[in-house]
Short mmCIF file of all heavy atoms in Angstrom, two decimals:
data_model
loop_
_atom_site.label_atom_id
_atom_site.label_comp_id
_atom_site.label_asym_id
_atom_site.label_seq_id
_atom_site.Cartn_x
_atom_site.Cartn_y
_atom_site.Cartn_z
N MET A 1 68.54 -80.74 -67.32
CA MET A 1 69.74 -80.61 -66.54
C MET A 1 69.72 -79.25 -65.85
O MET A 1 69.41 -78.27 -66.40
CB MET A 1 70.96 -80.72 -67.43
CG MET A 1 72.25 -80.66 -66.67
SD MET A 1 73.73 -80.94 -67.68
CE MET A 1 73.65 -82.68 -67.89
N SER A 2 70.08 -79.31 -64.55
CA SER A 2 70.08 -78.04 -63.78
C SER A 2 71.25 -77.14 -64.19
O SER A 2 72.20 -77.59 -64.78
CB SER A 2 70.16 -78.39 -62.28
OG SER A 2 71.45 -78.85 -62.02
N LEU A 3 71.11 -75.88 -63.82
CA LEU A 3 72.17 -74.93 -64.12
C LEU A 3 73.47 -75.30 -63.41
O LEU A 3 74.55 -75.19 -64.01
CB LEU A 3 71.73 -73.53 -63.72
CG LEU A 3 72.68 -72.40 -64.07
CD1 LEU A 3 73.01 -72.37 -65.57
CD2 LEU A 3 72.13 -71.05 -63.62
N ALA A 4 73.37 -75.82 -62.20
CA ALA A 4 74.59 -76.20 -61.51
C ALA A 4 75.30 -77.36 -62.19
O ALA A 4 76.53 -77.40 -62.30
CB ALA A 4 74.27 -76.63 -60.03
N ARG A 5 74.53 -78.31 -62.68
CA ARG A 5 75.12 -79.43 -63.45
C ARG A 5 75.76 -78.96 -64.75
O ARG A 5 76.80 -79.43 -65.14
CB ARG A 5 74.04 -80.48 -63.66
CG ARG A 5 74.54 -81.71 -64.38
CD ARG A 5 75.32 -82.57 -63.40
NE ARG A 5 75.69 -83.81 -64.09
CZ ARG A 5 76.88 -84.31 -64.01
NH1 ARG A 5 77.82 -83.78 -63.25
NH2 ARG A 5 77.20 -85.40 -64.68
N TRP A 6 75.06 -78.05 -65.40
CA TRP A 6 75.60 -77.50 -66.68
C TRP A 6 76.95 -76.83 -66.42
O TRP A 6 77.89 -76.97 -67.19
CB TRP A 6 74.58 -76.49 -67.24
CG TRP A 6 75.15 -75.57 -68.28
CD1 TRP A 6 75.48 -74.28 -68.14
CD2 TRP A 6 75.44 -75.91 -69.66
NE1 TRP A 6 75.98 -73.78 -69.31
CE2 TRP A 6 75.95 -74.72 -70.26
CE3 TRP A 6 75.31 -77.03 -70.40
CZ2 TRP A 6 76.31 -74.71 -71.57
CZ3 TRP A 6 75.70 -76.99 -71.72
CH2 TRP A 6 76.19 -75.87 -72.33
N ARG A 7 77.03 -76.09 -65.36
CA ARG A 7 78.32 -75.42 -65.04
C ARG A 7 79.37 -76.41 -64.71
O ARG A 7 80.52 -76.21 -65.06
CB ARG A 7 78.11 -74.46 -63.83
CG ARG A 7 77.33 -73.23 -64.17
CD ARG A 7 77.18 -72.34 -63.03
NE ARG A 7 76.42 -71.12 -63.37
CZ ARG A 7 75.79 -70.41 -62.54
NH1 ARG A 7 75.85 -70.67 -61.24
NH2 ARG A 7 75.18 -69.31 -62.92
N ALA A 8 79.06 -77.51 -64.05
CA ALA A 8 80.02 -78.53 -63.76
C ALA A 8 80.54 -79.18 -65.04
O ALA A 8 81.74 -79.48 -65.16
CB ALA A 8 79.45 -79.57 -62.83
N VAL A 9 79.63 -79.49 -65.98
CA VAL A 9 80.05 -80.09 -67.21
C VAL A 9 80.95 -79.10 -68.01
O VAL A 9 81.99 -79.52 -68.52
CB VAL A 9 78.78 -80.44 -68.06
CG1 VAL A 9 79.16 -80.77 -69.49
CG2 VAL A 9 78.04 -81.56 -67.41
N ALA A 10 80.57 -77.85 -68.08
CA ALA A 10 81.36 -76.87 -68.75
C ALA A 10 82.71 -76.68 -68.10
O ALA A 10 83.72 -76.57 -68.76
CB ALA A 10 80.60 -75.53 -68.84
N GLY A 11 82.74 -76.68 -66.78
CA GLY A 11 83.99 -76.57 -66.07
C GLY A 11 84.92 -77.72 -66.30
O GLY A 11 86.14 -77.51 -66.46
N ARG A 12 84.39 -78.93 -66.37
CA ARG A 12 85.21 -80.12 -66.59
C ARG A 12 85.84 -80.00 -68.01
O ARG A 12 87.02 -80.29 -68.17
CB ARG A 12 84.41 -81.37 -66.50
CG ARG A 12 85.06 -82.64 -66.94
CD ARG A 12 86.25 -83.08 -66.12
NE ARG A 12 85.96 -83.26 -64.76
CZ ARG A 12 85.59 -84.43 -64.21
NH1 ARG A 12 85.55 -85.51 -64.94
NH2 ARG A 12 85.36 -84.53 -62.94
N VAL A 13 85.05 -79.67 -69.01
CA VAL A 13 85.55 -79.53 -70.38
C VAL A 13 86.61 -78.41 -70.44
O VAL A 13 87.71 -78.64 -71.03
CB VAL A 13 84.40 -79.22 -71.36
CG1 VAL A 13 84.95 -78.90 -72.76
CG2 VAL A 13 83.48 -80.46 -71.44
N SER A 14 86.33 -77.33 -69.82
CA SER A 14 87.29 -76.20 -69.84
C SER A 14 88.60 -76.59 -69.20
O SER A 14 89.68 -76.32 -69.72
CB SER A 14 86.67 -75.00 -69.09
OG SER A 14 87.55 -73.92 -69.00
N ALA A 15 88.58 -77.24 -68.04
CA ALA A 15 89.75 -77.61 -67.32
C ALA A 15 90.56 -78.69 -68.02
O ALA A 15 91.77 -78.62 -68.16
CB ALA A 15 89.42 -78.08 -65.90
N THR A 16 89.86 -79.64 -68.55
CA THR A 16 90.55 -80.79 -69.20
C THR A 16 91.30 -80.33 -70.47
O THR A 16 92.44 -80.77 -70.69
CB THR A 16 89.59 -81.87 -69.58
OG1 THR A 16 88.93 -82.37 -68.36
CG2 THR A 16 90.21 -83.04 -70.28
N PHE A 17 90.65 -79.48 -71.22
CA PHE A 17 91.29 -79.07 -72.48
C PHE A 17 91.96 -77.67 -72.46
O PHE A 17 92.33 -77.15 -73.50
CB PHE A 17 90.24 -79.13 -73.61
CG PHE A 17 89.72 -80.50 -73.86
CD1 PHE A 17 88.42 -80.85 -73.48
CD2 PHE A 17 90.53 -81.50 -74.36
CE1 PHE A 17 87.95 -82.16 -73.73
CE2 PHE A 17 90.04 -82.77 -74.56
CZ PHE A 17 88.75 -83.12 -74.21
N SER A 18 92.01 -77.12 -71.26
CA SER A 18 92.66 -75.78 -71.12
C SER A 18 92.08 -74.77 -72.06
O SER A 18 92.74 -74.02 -72.75
CB SER A 18 94.14 -75.84 -71.31
OG SER A 18 94.73 -76.71 -70.38
N THR A 19 90.74 -74.83 -72.10
CA THR A 19 89.99 -73.88 -72.97
C THR A 19 89.30 -72.87 -72.07
O THR A 19 88.74 -73.21 -71.03
CB THR A 19 88.88 -74.68 -73.73
OG1 THR A 19 89.50 -75.71 -74.46
CG2 THR A 19 88.12 -73.79 -74.67
N PRO A 20 89.30 -71.60 -72.45
CA PRO A 20 88.65 -70.57 -71.62
C PRO A 20 87.18 -70.94 -71.41
O PRO A 20 86.49 -71.37 -72.32
CB PRO A 20 88.77 -69.28 -72.43
CG PRO A 20 89.98 -69.51 -73.29
CD PRO A 20 90.01 -70.97 -73.59
N LEU A 21 86.73 -70.74 -70.19
CA LEU A 21 85.38 -71.12 -69.84
C LEU A 21 84.33 -70.40 -70.71
O LEU A 21 83.32 -70.99 -71.11
CB LEU A 21 85.10 -70.88 -68.36
CG LEU A 21 83.76 -71.31 -67.79
CD1 LEU A 21 83.49 -72.74 -68.03
CD2 LEU A 21 83.66 -70.98 -66.32
N ALA A 22 84.63 -69.19 -71.05
CA ALA A 22 83.67 -68.41 -71.86
C ALA A 22 83.50 -69.08 -73.25
O ALA A 22 82.38 -69.10 -73.79
CB ALA A 22 84.18 -66.97 -72.10
N ASP A 23 84.60 -69.61 -73.79
CA ASP A 23 84.46 -70.36 -75.06
C ASP A 23 83.68 -71.62 -74.96
O ASP A 23 82.87 -71.95 -75.82
CB ASP A 23 85.87 -70.69 -75.64
CG ASP A 23 86.66 -69.43 -76.03
OD1 ASP A 23 86.06 -68.31 -76.13
OD2 ASP A 23 87.92 -69.58 -76.23
N VAL A 24 83.82 -72.31 -73.85
CA VAL A 24 83.08 -73.55 -73.61
C VAL A 24 81.58 -73.20 -73.46
O VAL A 24 80.75 -73.87 -73.99
CB VAL A 24 83.67 -74.30 -72.41
CG1 VAL A 24 82.79 -75.47 -72.08
CG2 VAL A 24 85.06 -74.79 -72.73
N MET A 25 81.30 -72.18 -72.68
CA MET A 25 79.92 -71.82 -72.45
C MET A 25 79.23 -71.34 -73.67
O MET A 25 78.03 -71.42 -73.82
CB MET A 25 79.84 -70.72 -71.36
CG MET A 25 80.32 -71.14 -70.00
SD MET A 25 79.29 -72.39 -69.25
CE MET A 25 77.89 -71.45 -68.68
N ALA A 26 79.98 -70.92 -74.71
CA ALA A 26 79.44 -70.47 -76.01
C ALA A 26 79.13 -71.62 -76.93
O ALA A 26 78.47 -71.45 -77.96
CB ALA A 26 80.36 -69.51 -76.70
N MET A 27 79.56 -72.82 -76.59
CA MET A 27 79.31 -73.98 -77.42
C MET A 27 77.85 -74.37 -77.48
O MET A 27 77.12 -74.15 -76.49
CB MET A 27 80.10 -75.23 -76.95
CG MET A 27 81.59 -75.15 -77.13
SD MET A 27 82.34 -76.69 -76.47
CE MET A 27 84.07 -76.30 -76.72
N HIS A 28 77.43 -75.00 -78.54
CA HIS A 28 76.10 -75.58 -78.57
C HIS A 28 76.07 -76.76 -77.63
O HIS A 28 77.08 -77.41 -77.39
CB HIS A 28 75.74 -76.02 -80.00
CG HIS A 28 75.50 -74.87 -80.92
ND1 HIS A 28 74.35 -74.12 -80.90
CD2 HIS A 28 76.32 -74.31 -81.83
CE1 HIS A 28 74.48 -73.17 -81.80
NE2 HIS A 28 75.64 -73.23 -82.40
N TRP A 29 74.88 -77.06 -77.11
CA TRP A 29 74.71 -78.12 -76.12
C TRP A 29 75.23 -79.45 -76.61
O TRP A 29 75.95 -80.17 -75.93
CB TRP A 29 73.24 -78.18 -75.78
CG TRP A 29 72.89 -79.29 -74.86
CD1 TRP A 29 72.10 -80.37 -75.11
CD2 TRP A 29 73.29 -79.40 -73.48
NE1 TRP A 29 71.99 -81.17 -73.98
CE2 TRP A 29 72.70 -80.58 -72.98
CE3 TRP A 29 74.07 -78.65 -72.61
CZ2 TRP A 29 72.89 -81.03 -71.68
CZ3 TRP A 29 74.25 -79.10 -71.34
CH2 TRP A 29 73.68 -80.25 -70.87
N ASP A 30 74.87 -79.85 -77.83
CA ASP A 30 75.28 -81.15 -78.33
C ASP A 30 76.79 -81.22 -78.53
O ASP A 30 77.42 -82.25 -78.24
CB ASP A 30 74.61 -81.49 -79.65
CG ASP A 30 74.71 -80.50 -80.71
OD1 ASP A 30 75.18 -79.34 -80.41
OD2 ASP A 30 74.34 -80.79 -81.86
N GLU A 31 77.42 -80.11 -78.96
CA GLU A 31 78.91 -80.12 -79.09
C GLU A 31 79.58 -80.23 -77.71
O GLU A 31 80.53 -80.97 -77.53
CB GLU A 31 79.32 -78.84 -79.76
CG GLU A 31 80.82 -78.74 -80.00
CD GLU A 31 81.22 -77.42 -80.65
OE1 GLU A 31 80.41 -76.50 -80.74
OE2 GLU A 31 82.43 -77.29 -80.93
N LEU A 32 79.01 -79.51 -76.71
CA LEU A 32 79.59 -79.59 -75.36
C LEU A 32 79.53 -81.02 -74.78
O LEU A 32 80.47 -81.50 -74.20
CB LEU A 32 78.88 -78.58 -74.42
CG LEU A 32 79.35 -78.62 -72.99
CD1 LEU A 32 80.85 -78.26 -72.92
CD2 LEU A 32 78.55 -77.66 -72.19
N LEU A 33 78.41 -81.66 -75.05
CA LEU A 33 78.26 -83.06 -74.52
C LEU A 33 79.26 -84.00 -75.18
O LEU A 33 79.78 -84.90 -74.51
CB LEU A 33 76.84 -83.58 -74.72
CG LEU A 33 75.76 -82.94 -73.80
CD1 LEU A 33 74.45 -83.54 -74.09
CD2 LEU A 33 76.17 -83.21 -72.33
N LEU A 34 79.57 -83.84 -76.44
CA LEU A 34 80.58 -84.68 -77.08
C LEU A 34 81.95 -84.39 -76.42
O LEU A 34 82.68 -85.36 -76.15
CB LEU A 34 80.64 -84.35 -78.58
CG LEU A 34 79.48 -84.79 -79.39
CD1 LEU A 34 79.60 -84.28 -80.85
CD2 LEU A 34 79.32 -86.32 -79.38
N TRP A 35 82.29 -83.17 -76.21
CA TRP A 35 83.59 -82.85 -75.59
C TRP A 35 83.61 -83.28 -74.12
O TRP A 35 84.62 -83.68 -73.60
CB TRP A 35 83.91 -81.35 -75.68
CG TRP A 35 84.34 -80.97 -77.03
CD1 TRP A 35 83.66 -80.20 -77.97
CD2 TRP A 35 85.55 -81.34 -77.71
NE1 TRP A 35 84.36 -80.08 -79.09
CE2 TRP A 35 85.54 -80.81 -78.96
CE3 TRP A 35 86.62 -82.20 -77.35
CZ2 TRP A 35 86.58 -80.97 -79.89
CZ3 TRP A 35 87.58 -82.38 -78.21
CH2 TRP A 35 87.63 -81.78 -79.49
N TRP A 36 82.46 -83.25 -73.46
CA TRP A 36 82.41 -83.72 -72.09
C TRP A 36 82.66 -85.22 -71.96
O TRP A 36 83.44 -85.62 -71.08
CB TRP A 36 81.01 -83.39 -71.49
CG TRP A 36 80.84 -83.87 -70.05
CD1 TRP A 36 81.50 -83.38 -68.95
CD2 TRP A 36 80.04 -84.94 -69.58
NE1 TRP A 36 81.13 -84.07 -67.84
CE2 TRP A 36 80.23 -84.98 -68.20
CE3 TRP A 36 79.15 -85.80 -70.23
CZ2 TRP A 36 79.51 -85.93 -67.45
CZ3 TRP A 36 78.50 -86.72 -69.46
CH2 TRP A 36 78.69 -86.82 -68.11
N ASN A 37 82.16 -85.96 -72.91
CA ASN A 37 82.49 -87.44 -72.90
C ASN A 37 83.96 -87.68 -73.09
O ASN A 37 84.56 -88.51 -72.41
CB ASN A 37 81.68 -88.15 -73.99
CG ASN A 37 80.22 -88.36 -73.60
OD1 ASN A 37 79.95 -88.63 -72.45
ND2 ASN A 37 79.39 -88.33 -74.58
N GLU A 38 84.57 -86.90 -73.97
CA GLU A 38 86.04 -87.02 -74.14
C GLU A 38 86.80 -86.59 -72.90
O GLU A 38 87.76 -87.26 -72.45
CB GLU A 38 86.52 -86.12 -75.31
CG GLU A 38 86.04 -86.60 -76.68
CD GLU A 38 86.65 -87.96 -77.07
OE1 GLU A 38 87.82 -88.17 -76.74
OE2 GLU A 38 85.93 -88.75 -77.68
N ALA A 39 86.36 -85.49 -72.27
CA ALA A 39 86.98 -84.99 -71.03
C ALA A 39 86.83 -86.06 -69.91
O ALA A 39 87.75 -86.29 -69.15
CB ALA A 39 86.35 -83.69 -70.65
N ARG A 40 85.69 -86.67 -69.78
CA ARG A 40 85.48 -87.73 -68.79
C ARG A 40 86.36 -88.88 -69.00
O ARG A 40 86.97 -89.42 -68.07
CB ARG A 40 83.98 -88.14 -68.80
CG ARG A 40 83.64 -88.97 -67.65
CD ARG A 40 82.17 -89.40 -67.76
NE ARG A 40 82.01 -90.06 -69.05
CZ ARG A 40 80.78 -90.33 -69.52
NH1 ARG A 40 79.69 -90.02 -68.87
NH2 ARG A 40 80.66 -90.94 -70.70
N ASP A 41 86.54 -89.33 -70.25
CA ASP A 41 87.42 -90.43 -70.59
C ASP A 41 88.90 -90.12 -70.23
O ASP A 41 89.63 -90.92 -69.66
CB ASP A 41 87.32 -90.82 -72.03
CG ASP A 41 85.98 -91.48 -72.41
OD1 ASP A 41 85.26 -91.88 -71.45
OD2 ASP A 41 85.65 -91.53 -73.56
N ILE A 42 89.29 -88.90 -70.56
CA ILE A 42 90.69 -88.45 -70.27
C ILE A 42 90.86 -88.43 -68.77
O ILE A 42 91.90 -88.91 -68.24
CB ILE A 42 90.96 -87.10 -70.89
CG1 ILE A 42 91.06 -87.26 -72.40
CG2 ILE A 42 92.22 -86.48 -70.31
CD1 ILE A 42 91.10 -85.97 -73.19
N ASP A 43 89.89 -87.92 -68.04
CA ASP A 43 89.97 -87.86 -66.56
C ASP A 43 90.10 -89.24 -65.98
O ASP A 43 90.95 -89.45 -65.06
CB ASP A 43 88.73 -87.15 -66.02
CG ASP A 43 88.77 -87.03 -64.49
OD1 ASP A 43 89.53 -86.17 -64.03
OD2 ASP A 43 88.03 -87.77 -63.84
N ARG A 44 89.33 -90.16 -66.46
CA ARG A 44 89.42 -91.50 -65.96
C ARG A 44 90.80 -92.18 -66.22
O ARG A 44 91.35 -92.84 -65.36
CB ARG A 44 88.35 -92.37 -66.60
CG ARG A 44 86.97 -92.09 -66.02
CD ARG A 44 85.90 -92.95 -66.73
NE ARG A 44 84.58 -92.64 -66.16
CZ ARG A 44 83.50 -92.96 -66.77
NH1 ARG A 44 83.53 -93.57 -67.92
NH2 ARG A 44 82.37 -92.65 -66.23
N GLU A 45 91.30 -91.96 -67.44
CA GLU A 45 92.64 -92.51 -67.76
C GLU A 45 93.72 -91.89 -66.93
O GLU A 45 94.64 -92.57 -66.47
CB GLU A 45 92.94 -92.28 -69.22
CG GLU A 45 92.11 -93.09 -70.22
CD GLU A 45 92.32 -92.72 -71.64
OE1 GLU A 45 93.30 -91.95 -71.93
OE2 GLU A 45 91.53 -93.16 -72.51
N ARG A 46 93.66 -90.59 -66.71
CA ARG A 46 94.71 -89.85 -66.06
C ARG A 46 94.65 -90.07 -64.54
O ARG A 46 95.66 -90.25 -63.87
CB ARG A 46 94.53 -88.38 -66.34
CG ARG A 46 95.68 -87.54 -65.77
CD ARG A 46 95.43 -86.06 -66.10
NE ARG A 46 95.41 -85.81 -67.50
CZ ARG A 46 94.87 -84.75 -68.10
NH1 ARG A 46 94.30 -83.85 -67.37
NH2 ARG A 46 94.93 -84.61 -69.38
N TRP A 47 93.47 -90.00 -63.94
CA TRP A 47 93.37 -89.94 -62.45
C TRP A 47 92.89 -91.24 -61.81
O TRP A 47 92.99 -91.34 -60.58
CB TRP A 47 92.53 -88.79 -62.05
CG TRP A 47 93.03 -87.51 -62.57
CD1 TRP A 47 92.49 -86.70 -63.51
CD2 TRP A 47 94.25 -86.86 -62.14
NE1 TRP A 47 93.24 -85.59 -63.72
CE2 TRP A 47 94.38 -85.66 -62.90
CE3 TRP A 47 95.23 -87.13 -61.21
CZ2 TRP A 47 95.42 -84.77 -62.75
CZ3 TRP A 47 96.28 -86.24 -61.06
CH2 TRP A 47 96.38 -85.08 -61.84
N ALA A 48 92.32 -92.16 -62.54
CA ALA A 48 91.80 -93.37 -61.92
C ALA A 48 92.85 -94.13 -61.11
O ALA A 48 92.52 -94.53 -59.98
CB ALA A 48 91.16 -94.26 -62.97
N PRO A 49 94.04 -94.34 -61.58
CA PRO A 49 95.07 -95.03 -60.76
C PRO A 49 95.33 -94.33 -59.46
O PRO A 49 95.47 -94.98 -58.45
CB PRO A 49 96.26 -95.09 -61.71
CG PRO A 49 95.80 -94.94 -63.06
CD PRO A 49 94.58 -94.09 -62.95
N LEU A 50 95.42 -93.01 -59.49
CA LEU A 50 95.66 -92.27 -58.26
C LEU A 50 94.49 -92.32 -57.30
O LEU A 50 94.70 -92.42 -56.08
CB LEU A 50 96.01 -90.79 -58.58
CG LEU A 50 97.32 -90.60 -59.29
CD1 LEU A 50 97.47 -89.11 -59.67
CD2 LEU A 50 98.50 -91.02 -58.46
N ARG A 51 93.25 -92.35 -57.83
CA ARG A 51 92.09 -92.48 -56.98
C ARG A 51 92.08 -93.85 -56.30
O ARG A 51 91.71 -93.97 -55.18
CB ARG A 51 90.83 -92.27 -57.80
CG ARG A 51 90.61 -90.82 -58.15
CD ARG A 51 89.27 -90.63 -58.87
NE ARG A 51 89.18 -89.22 -59.28
CZ ARG A 51 89.01 -88.86 -60.53
NH1 ARG A 51 88.86 -89.75 -61.48
NH2 ARG A 51 88.89 -87.56 -60.83
N GLN A 52 92.47 -94.87 -57.06
CA GLN A 52 92.49 -96.23 -56.48
C GLN A 52 93.51 -96.30 -55.36
O GLN A 52 93.29 -96.84 -54.31
CB GLN A 52 92.80 -97.25 -57.55
CG GLN A 52 91.66 -97.48 -58.50
CD GLN A 52 92.01 -98.41 -59.64
OE1 GLN A 52 93.19 -98.76 -59.87
NE2 GLN A 52 91.03 -98.87 -60.35
N LEU A 53 94.72 -95.70 -55.57
CA LEU A 53 95.74 -95.70 -54.57
C LEU A 53 95.24 -94.92 -53.30
O LEU A 53 95.50 -95.32 -52.22
CB LEU A 53 97.03 -95.11 -55.05
CG LEU A 53 97.80 -95.94 -56.08
CD1 LEU A 53 98.96 -95.14 -56.66
CD2 LEU A 53 98.26 -97.22 -55.47
N ALA A 54 94.58 -93.83 -53.51
CA ALA A 54 94.06 -93.01 -52.44
C ALA A 54 93.03 -93.79 -51.66
O ALA A 54 92.97 -93.74 -50.43
CB ALA A 54 93.52 -91.71 -52.93
N GLY A 55 92.19 -94.53 -52.36
CA GLY A 55 91.19 -95.35 -51.71
C GLY A 55 91.82 -96.45 -50.82
O GLY A 55 91.35 -96.73 -49.72
N ARG A 56 92.90 -97.06 -51.32
CA ARG A 56 93.56 -98.08 -50.53
C ARG A 56 94.19 -97.47 -49.32
O ARG A 56 94.22 -98.07 -48.26
CB ARG A 56 94.64 -98.76 -51.41
CG ARG A 56 94.09 -99.69 -52.43
CD ARG A 56 95.18 -100.41 -53.13
NE ARG A 56 94.69 -100.84 -54.47
CZ ARG A 56 95.38 -100.84 -55.56
NH1 ARG A 56 96.62 -100.39 -55.55
NH2 ARG A 56 94.89 -101.25 -56.70
N ALA A 57 94.75 -96.28 -49.45
CA ALA A 57 95.44 -95.63 -48.35
C ALA A 57 94.42 -95.28 -47.28
O ALA A 57 94.65 -95.43 -46.05
CB ALA A 57 96.15 -94.40 -48.79
N ASP A 58 93.24 -94.83 -47.70
CA ASP A 58 92.17 -94.50 -46.75
C ASP A 58 91.70 -95.74 -45.99
O ASP A 58 91.47 -95.67 -44.77
CB ASP A 58 90.96 -93.87 -47.44
CG ASP A 58 91.25 -92.44 -47.94
OD1 ASP A 58 92.21 -91.83 -47.47
OD2 ASP A 58 90.47 -92.00 -48.83
N ARG A 59 91.56 -96.85 -46.71
CA ARG A 59 91.08 -98.07 -46.03
C ARG A 59 92.17 -98.70 -45.13
O ARG A 59 91.83 -99.30 -44.15
CB ARG A 59 90.67 -99.05 -47.13
CG ARG A 59 89.33 -98.72 -47.76
CD ARG A 59 88.80 -99.87 -48.58
NE ARG A 59 89.68 -100.14 -49.77
CZ ARG A 59 89.58 -99.58 -50.90
NH1 ARG A 59 88.71 -98.66 -51.14
NH2 ARG A 59 90.40 -99.90 -51.92
N SER A 60 93.44 -98.48 -45.44
CA SER A 60 94.47 -99.08 -44.60
C SER A 60 94.61 -98.37 -43.32
O SER A 60 95.15 -98.93 -42.33
CB SER A 60 95.79 -99.10 -45.36
OG SER A 60 96.31 -97.78 -45.55
N GLY A 61 94.15 -97.10 -43.22
CA GLY A 61 94.24 -96.34 -42.01
C GLY A 61 93.14 -96.58 -41.07
O GLY A 61 93.07 -96.11 -39.92
N GLU A 62 92.19 -97.41 -41.44
CA GLU A 62 91.02 -97.68 -40.54
C GLU A 62 91.32 -98.61 -39.48
O GLU A 62 92.13 -99.44 -39.48
CB GLU A 62 89.86 -98.21 -41.37
CG GLU A 62 89.29 -97.16 -42.35
CD GLU A 62 88.24 -97.78 -43.25
OE1 GLU A 62 87.87 -98.99 -43.12
OE2 GLU A 62 87.69 -97.02 -44.01
#
C-alpha cells in the first residue's frame, strides 16, 4: 500500500472516531485495518442515503 493510501486510511479512521491522527498513526497496521473496516461501515450507513440523493439531483439536472 502506498504512503498516500495509508494516510487516507488513517485519516478516515481518525475522522470517523474523532481520534487524534497521531494516535491513529501510532496503531499497528493490523489494528488500524480493523478500525478502518468499522469506519467504512459507519460511513456507508451515515452518508450513503445522502450520496444517493445527491446522485439523483445531479442526474435530474442533465
Side-chain angles (χ1 to χ4, degrees):
M1 180 176 285
S2 70
L3 183 57
R5 183 75 176 135
W6 164 256
R7 288 180 179 160
V9 168
R12 170 65 61 90
V13 171
S14 176
T16 300
F17 297 110
S18 300
T19 304
L21 186 56
D23 292 347
V24 173
M25 295 295 282
M27 289 180 183
H28 291 282
W29 177 245
D30 55 348
E31 181 182 7
L32 178 60
L33 287 179
L34 291 173
W35 285 113
W36 178 68
N37 283 325
E38 292 294 323
R40 189 181 56 190
D41 291 344
I42 289 169
D43 181 73
R44 286 179 180 163
E45 290 173 10
R46 184 182 299 159
W47 301 110
L50 293 175
R51 288 186 184 120
Q52 289 176 346
L53 290 173
R56 287 186 203 140
D58 288 343
R59 286 191 295 271
S60 68
E62 294 177 357

